[in-house]
């Protein structure tokens, strides 16, 4: 039997723990029709909270309703790729390539520029309109999902927003769901890139309640025919802190070790081994990857935060850095924007990812932090 847990970025978990409500508005939008609020949504949250998973879940839900889906990531050439994908769907659902009135756009021609010239923007909308007319005739629609929206090219975001707004005004059955890091998304939308996108529903994904985690673990292990005690379920659930990616890591490791036994029973020793393995994996994947992309001062700021056993005061971090509070505030903002830390009160910050404090303490020496900056 295959391990049902999926501790891989973006992979669909066996159960969408604590996230059902986040998709209710989108499903209502599908049922209510064009212009419904849930059809324009932005999922935000720190690393590992399941933003990409939510986009995948929405795509699955849309397919269940007969909708066509196109998924992409906000890298250069986004509009071109979306246009190419729409044209492919149009050719498949219509009478083939000869049916489309727009035939001058090639994949290569679209892929060499970030910004579509005006004439191709019009062609993009023509393709979208043709496709949506066919889908509307079958009482279905088109869902476009875009991940990592905080990294999108501003010109392309403006083009995409203008095109989607145009189609919504025409009461076409189209939905746009996006995902990105909270603060960066807020800054992006405040740059006057698109007033239209500011009206999108914002779903801020946070940690899952421990009770929901425990119930999900119990259901999954029971369905796998494994024996796990109530105390072990509680221990496993609490160890995750409600952090979605760690839920998958813990579940995967506990299931893997129990599956080695002929009686498929979770032992206390296996539970300890599994939790240690899950934390190491979290450190080597999510935490290490995130920290490695930071500047030396960013890293030093985090290491000095790790000296505290709980939330840190920015003024105290500034003192440890040998700098002013204003100086420390610059890096505080940078790290919040990067979703590495979060504000927890006036002048207080804490880590967004579980066990980051412990990981930083363990690796502080290898990061060559200076005593003072």
């Amino acid at each position: 039997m295959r391990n049902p847990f999926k501790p891989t970025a973006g992979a669909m978990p066996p159960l969408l723990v604590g996230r059902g409500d986040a998709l209710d508005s989108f499903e209502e939008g599908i049922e209510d029709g064009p212009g419904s609020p849930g059809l324009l949504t932005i999922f935000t949250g720190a690393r590992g909270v399941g933003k990409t998973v939510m986009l995948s879940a929405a795509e699955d839900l849309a397919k269940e309703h007969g909708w066509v889906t196109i998924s992409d990531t906000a890298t250069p050439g986004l509009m071109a790729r979306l246009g190419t994908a729409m044209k492919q769907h149009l050719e498949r659902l219509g009478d083939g390539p000869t049916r489309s009135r727009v035939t001058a756009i090639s994949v290569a021609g679209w892929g060499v520029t970030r910004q579509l010239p005006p004439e191709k923007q019009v062609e993009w909308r023509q393709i979208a309109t043709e496709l949506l007319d066919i889908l509307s005739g079958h009482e279905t629609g088109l869902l476009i999902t875009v991940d990592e929206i905080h990294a999108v090219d501003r010109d392309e975001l403006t083009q995409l927003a203008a095109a989607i707004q145009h189609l919504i005004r025409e009461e076409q059955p189209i939905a746009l769901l996006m995902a990105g890091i909270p603060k960066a998304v807020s800054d992006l939308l405040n740059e006057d890139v698109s007033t239209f996108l500011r009206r999108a529903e914002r779903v801020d994904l946070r940690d899952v309640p421990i009770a929901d985690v425990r119930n999900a673990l119990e259901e999954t292990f029971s369905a796998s025919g494994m024996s796990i005690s109530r105390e072990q379920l509680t221990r496993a659930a609490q160890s995750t802190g409600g952090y979605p990616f760690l839920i998958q890591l813990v579940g995967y490791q506990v299931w893997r070790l129990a599956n080695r036994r002929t009686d498929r029973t979770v032992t206390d020793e296996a539970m300890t081994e599994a939790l240690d393995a899950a934390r190491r994996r979290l450190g080597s994947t999510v935490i290490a990857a995130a920290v490695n992309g930071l500047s030396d001062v960013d890293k030093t700021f985090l290491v000095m935060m790790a000296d505290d056993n709980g939330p840190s005061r920015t003024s105290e971090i500034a003192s440890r850095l040998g700098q002013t509070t204003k100086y420390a505030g610059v890096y505080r903002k940078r790290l919040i924007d990067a979703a590495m830390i979060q504000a927890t009160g006036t002048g207080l910050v804490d880590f967004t990812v579980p066990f980051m404090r412990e990981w930083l303490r363990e690796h502080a020496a290898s990061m060559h932090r200076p005593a003072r900056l």
Side-chain angles (χ1 to χ4, degrees):
M1 185 176 183
R2 292 183 178 180
N3 195 319
F5 293 93
K6 307 296 180 184
T8 303
M12 282 297 293
L15 290 175
L16 204 59
V17 186
R19 297 293 189 237
D21 292 346
L23 290 173
D24 287 347
S25 181
F26 172 63
E27 185 166 23
E28 289 174 2
I30 291 178
E31 295 170 351
D32 292 342
S36 299
L39 298 182
L40 182 62
T41 299
I42 302 177
F43 294 108
T44 63
R47 291 176 178 83
V49 298
K51 298 184 296 295
T52 303
V53 168
M54 290 303 295
L55 294 182
S56 297
E59 290 165 16
D60 290 343
L61 188 58
K63 290 175 183 177
E64 290 176 8
H65 286 266
W67 281 43
V68 168
T69 65
I70 298 174
S71 61
D72 212 312
T73 302
T75 53
L78 171 65
M79 287 292 287
R81 294 192 302 274
L82 293 178
T84 299
M86 286 192 297
K87 187 176 181 184
Q88 291 171 345
H89 282 297
L90 178 60
E91 293 175 350
R92 178 174 59 85
L93 296 172
D95 297 326
T98 58
R99 179 189 181 282
S100 176
R101 293 189 300 273
V102 183
T103 58
I105 299 174
S106 66
V107 176
W110 273 24
V112 297
T113 179
R114 293 187 181 187
Q115 183 174 5
L116 297 180
E119 65 274 11
K120 294 209 180 292
Q121 293 179 39
V122 173
E123 292 173 351
W124 196 98
R125 290 202 303 268
Q126 288 176 339
I127 290 178
T129 299
E130 283 194 57
L131 175 59
L132 290 166
D133 283 344
I134 293 175
L135 296 174
S136 179
H138 291 279
E139 298 184 351
T140 62
L142 170 66
L143 165 64
I144 296 175
T145 65
V146 182
D147 204 359
E148 305 290 343
I149 190 64
H150 52 271
V152 73
D153 179 88
R154 302 310 191 254
D155 291 333
E156 290 205 280
L157 181 61
T158 300
Q159 293 172 20
L160 178 60
I164 298 298
Q165 184 175 21
H166 178 85
L167 295 169
I168 290 176
R169 285 174 178 171
E170 294 183 339
E171 296 189 350
Q172 292 283 13
I174 188 164
L176 174 64
L177 271 58
M178 300 177 287
I181 296 173
K183 189 64 169 59
V185 168
S186 295
D187 290 345
L188 172 67
L189 298 182
N190 288 334
E191 290 178 3
D192 291 328
V193 177
S194 173
T195 302
F196 165 70
L197 288 181
R198 291 183 197 170
R199 298 196 293 269
E201 288 200 351
R202 290 280 295 272
V203 178
D204 189 10
L205 301 174
R206 299 183 181 276
D207 292 340
V208 179
I210 298 300
D212 291 345
V213 176
R214 188 187 184 284
N215 292 337
L217 291 175
E218 182 176 21
E219 182 176 340
T220 306
F221 277 94
S222 177
S224 299
M226 292 193 170
S227 177
I228 182 170
S229 70
R230 293 182 177 180
E231 293 76 15
Q232 290 169 338
L233 281 170
T234 299
R235 182 184 176 191
Q238 291 177 341
S239 74
T240 70
Y243 185 66
F245 188 64
L246 190 53
I247 294 171
Q248 297 303 312
L249 282 172
V250 168
Y252 180 88
Q253 295 294 344
V254 173
W255 195 98
R256 179 180 66 85
L257 294 175
N259 196 49
R260 291 179 176 180
R261 296 173 55 91
T262 55
D263 60 0
R264 310 191 80 212
T265 297
V266 177
T267 65
D268 290 340
E269 293 77 11
M271 177 64 70
T272 299
E273 181 181 346
L275 298 186
D276 289 342
R279 290 166 184 165
R280 287 196 303 272
R281 182 64 176 170
L282 179 71
S284 64
T285 53
V286 176
I287 299 176
V291 171
N292 288 340
L294 300 174
S295 72
D296 289 342
V297 180
D298 288 327
K299 293 176 182 177
T300 301
F301 190 106
L302 293 177
V303 170
M304 292 189 174
M305 276 183 60
D307 289 343
D308 298 317
N309 293 322
S312 301
R313 288 197 173 277
T314 305
S315 58
E316 179 60 29
I317 298 301
S319 177
R320 296 171 191 171
L321 290 170
Q323 297 288 346
T324 65
T325 301
K326 182 178 180 180
Y327 177 91
V330 172
Y331 290 92
R332 173 185 181 276
K333 182 180 184 304
R334 281 165 54 98
L335 291 167
I336 289 177
D337 289 351
M340 298 295 295
I341 64 176
Q342 58 189 341
T344 57
T346 304
L348 294 173
V349 289
D350 205 352
F351 299 107
T352 58
V353 179
F355 302 107
M356 182 175 284
R357 178 177 287 103
E358 291 81 357
W359 186 91
L360 286 165
R361 288 174 176 176
E362 182 180 349
H363 293 82
S366 64
M367 294 168 67
H368 306 294
R369 66 165 177 165
R372 296 171 69 86
L373 299 181

